[in-house]
Amino acid sequence: MIEIRKATEADQGAIWEIIHRVLQGGDTYSFAPESTREQMMAYWFAPGKHTYVALYDCKIAGTFAICDNQPGLGSHVANGAFMVSALFAGKGIGKAMGGFSLTEARRLGYKAMQFNFVVKSNERAVKLWQSLGFNIVGEVPDAFNHRQLGLTNTYVMYQKL
């Protein structure tokens, strides 16, 4: 059973473990693998962000944050960042978080959701977002310095809510 709830300060240790392990791969996020806990918690829990955790069998299995994609006149479009613990891969955590985030973004008053930087070689994420109704609306050449593949493209993905 997957439960999704707002993250609390008490969740930061588990959230950091997920973020730290994901960043170590150097293959899906632009954050440096050597990013510190302090840097990442400041980003993940920044003012204006709505931060959540997904629990699987009462354990934190994933985390995500929703925020304005742009300030001011772009604030009606949501952005999001999502990470799942490798220990819970293949259990539907990402899909559950993605579906919840779309409903939550609507509830928060957003009119669309846009991801500005989806690494093209992260085929699992691309397929997930497409299965949830996102379209690739742009491709940026050599925007990501993949740890194994070198410079790779990123997608801009979008969905009207």
Side-chain angles (χ1 to χ4, degrees), residues 38-60:
E38 293 73 27
Q39 290 169 323
M40 293 312 302
M41 291 303 98
Y43 175 81
W44 215 251
F45 287 90
K49 282 208 171 138
H50 305 274
T51 304
Y52 304 84
V53 291
L55 296 98
Y56 187 89
D57 288 337
C58 300
K59 295 179 183 88
I60 294 177

Side-chain angles (χ1 to χ4, degrees), residues 114-161:
Q114 178 176 315
F115 303 138
N116 303 319
F117 204 85
V118 180
V119 178
K120 183 177 181 175
S121 62
N122 188 356
E123 293 174 0
R124 194 169 176 171
V126 172
K127 277 186 178 180
L128 169 66
W129 297 125
Q130 288 175 320
S131 78
L132 289 172
F134 283 82
N135 293 304
I136 296 168
V137 296
E139 185 168 344
V140 183
D142 297 337
F144 181 69
N145 193 7
H146 192 286
R147 188 174 246 175
Q148 285 83 33
L149 304 175
L151 296 179
T152 58
N153 294 4
T154 61
Y155 290 136
V156 177
M157 299 187 78
Y158 177 87
Q159 180 178 158
K160 191 169 182 91
L161 298 177

Side-chain angles (χ1 to χ4, degrees), residues 10 17 19 27 32 34 50 59-61 64 72 77 79 86 89 95 97-98 102 104 107 112 116 120-121 137 150 159:
E17 285 303 314
I19 291 172
D27 58 353
E34 56 276 354
H50 305 274
K59 295 179 183 88
I60 294 177
F64 66 98
V77 177
N79 185 272
K95 189 161 193 144
M97 292 191 314
L102 292 170
E104 186 70 352
R107 187 189 72 75
N116 303 319
K120 183 177 181 175
S121 62
V137 296
Q159 180 178 158

Side-chain angles (χ1 to χ4, degrees), residues 7-23:
T8 68
E9 190 173 322
D11 298 327
Q12 287 191 11
I15 291 170
W16 166 243
E17 285 303 314
I18 293 169
I19 291 172
H20 180 67
R21 292 187 192 281
V22 168
L23 296 186

